[in-house]
Amino acid sequence: MTIPNLITIGRLFIVPLTIWLIVSGEHVLAFWAFIIAGVSDGVDGFIARTFDQRSDLGAYLDPIADKALLVSIYVTFSITGALPVWLAILVVSRDLLIVGGVVLSWMVDQPVAMRPRAISKVNTVFQIVLAAVVLADQAFARALGWLPDALIVVVGLLTLGSAIVYAVDWVRHMSEDVPPSADPLA
């Protein structure tokens, strides 16, 4: 167990706390819990790279912690009316599509290596920014005008685009007659 893995596990525990704070109307505390989760994500990555503490467990835990936080916040915001329901459905569906594709490829003995694509990285950044903007707006009662609405459109388009890119990659991979030990996406 490495220090970055412990930090990531701590971030997983921040997820239910953040959701509880949002639902309880403790928006300032929810905002700061989200900020702590974001900072911890950067810190664990920095420590892992700088002190050569990368691990296979961390390679799985880190994106799980990130997705758990974002998906939970988007679902919660859609339930509370802070974000449109269609956006939460799109965000969750994209992630389920990716996980389902990976699991299915393993089941048919044609595993696919998942490497983050550029559109996915940009999508994640915008999902985080939108969540932070909504949390900040709730926490500090700032009228942010058109910014949240513009971010909703951008996140929707990036999430859809990312889902399409991963789906096309997966279909290409599954359509090739590739021995299980080869990986065309590597």
Side-chain angles (χ1 to χ4, degrees):
M1 188 60 60
T2 65
I3 291 172
N5 288 349
L6 291 173
I7 293 169
T8 302
I9 290 168
R11 190 162 69 253
L12 280 167
F13 283 105
I14 292 175
V15 173
L17 171 66
T18 304
I19 300 312
W20 179 76
L21 290 169
I22 292 169
V23 171
S24 299
E26 298 290 340
H27 301 295
V28 172
L29 292 175
F31 173 80
W32 289 113
F34 183 78
I35 295 300
I36 290 168
V39 169
S40 76
D41 188 23
V43 168
D44 69 21
F46 173 79
I47 292 171
R49 286 185 304 276
T50 304
F51 299 102
D52 195 27
Q53 291 192 8
R54 293 184 183 130
S55 69
D56 289 339
L57 177 61
Y60 287 102
L61 277 180
D62 191 65
I64 289 171
D66 294 344
K67 285 301 168 187
L69 181 62
L70 283 175
V71 166
S72 297
I73 283 178
Y74 274 73
V75 169
T76 302
F77 280 160
S78 74
I79 291 169
T80 63
L83 285 176
V85 173
W86 66 262
L87 185 61
I89 291 170
L90 187 59
V91 167
V92 172
S93 296
R94 174 207 171 264
D95 290 344
L96 289 175
L97 172 84
I98 292 169
V99 170
V102 170
V103 169
L104 182 57
S105 69
W106 286 343
M107 290 174 62
V108 297
D109 201 27
Q110 200 170 337
V112 59
M114 291 306 299
R115 305 230 191 276
R117 302 291 299 255
I119 191 171
S120 179
K121 291 178 181 184
V122 172
N123 180 45
T124 299
V125 167
F126 274 91
Q127 285 182 358
I128 292 167
V129 168
L130 176 57
V133 164
V134 172
L135 279 166
D137 187 42
Q138 291 180 343
F140 306 111
R142 301 285 183 220
L144 299 175
W146 56 267
L147 182 60
D149 290 336
L151 286 171
I152 287 168
V153 171
V154 170
V155 167
L157 291 172
L158 286 170
T159 302
L160 182 60
S162 175
I164 291 168
V165 166
Y166 278 117
V168 168
D169 283 350
W170 185 82
V171 168
R172 282 185 188 145
H173 172 76
M174 297 305 287
S175 299
E176 295 177 0
D177 189 20
V178 179
S181 61
D183 180 13
L185 295 180

